[in-house]
Amino acid sequence: VQLQASGGGLVQAGESLRLSCAASGTVIDIDDMAWYRQAPGNQRELVASITWSGDTKYAESVKGRFTISRDNAKKSVYLQMNSLKPEDTAVYYCNADIVERGVRDAYAFWGQGTLVTVSS
């Protein structure tokens, strides 16, 4: 099983970016999906999460600016980031609880990270 993230880049403050992350391999089911980020010198933090049925949670710092969504048929999760700020600069990682073929329980998988840089 692999998670492939994409969509990062360099933008100016106030602009938008959309991150995507798709699961591939022997995926039977995906439970919760989420986006985390890690800025230089900081710990990795939860940005947003979404359940299989679409319930969402957000970090206070991104509420009203970021929107997480998912497409279960495409085994994908997305993060629409609007009104970006320099403090949003970080490596963004997707995370998913995945049930693999032949395995009973779900285990957490991580994408490789995609860099978002917001200039002032």
Side-chain angles (χ1 to χ4, degrees):
V1 172
Q2 286 189 328
L3 288 175
Q4 183 68 43
S6 61
L10 172 63
V11 297
Q12 293 188 333
E15 294 184 339
S16 299
L17 275 177
R18 185 176 188 247
L19 306 183
S20 300
C21 178
S24 62
T26 55
V27 177
I28 298 299
D29 197 11
I30 303 177
D31 295 334
D32 293 354
M33 305 184 84
W35 288 95
Y36 287 75
R37 68 185 180 186
Q38 187 168 18
N42 290 357
Q43 290 186 334
R44 191 172 297 189
E45 64 174 357
L46 177 65
V47 176
S49 65
I50 185 167
T51 66
W52 186 90
S53 59
D55 294 328
T56 58
K57 292 182 180 179
Y58 295 92
E60 284 296 324
S61 59
V62 306
K63 279 184 180 179
R65 300 188 297 122
F66 290 10
T67 302
I68 189 171
S69 61
R70 64 189 287 170
D71 184 328
N72 292 330
K74 294 183 178 179
K75 303 173 186 176
S76 295
V77 62
Y78 310 97
L79 187 67
Q80 178 66 42
M81 305 185 293
N82 299 330
S83 303
L84 281 161
K85 303 176 180 180
E87 51 263 44
D88 295 318
T89 295
V91 177
Y92 284 70
Y93 298 89
C94 58
N95 167 272
D97 293 332
I98 295 175
V99 179
E100 292 183 84
R101 182 179 302 145
V103 179
R104 183 185 66 183
D105 298 322
Y107 291 92
F109 288 85
W110 292 89
Q112 84 283 11
T114 184
L115 177 63
V116 173
T117 303
V118 184
S119 64
S120 57

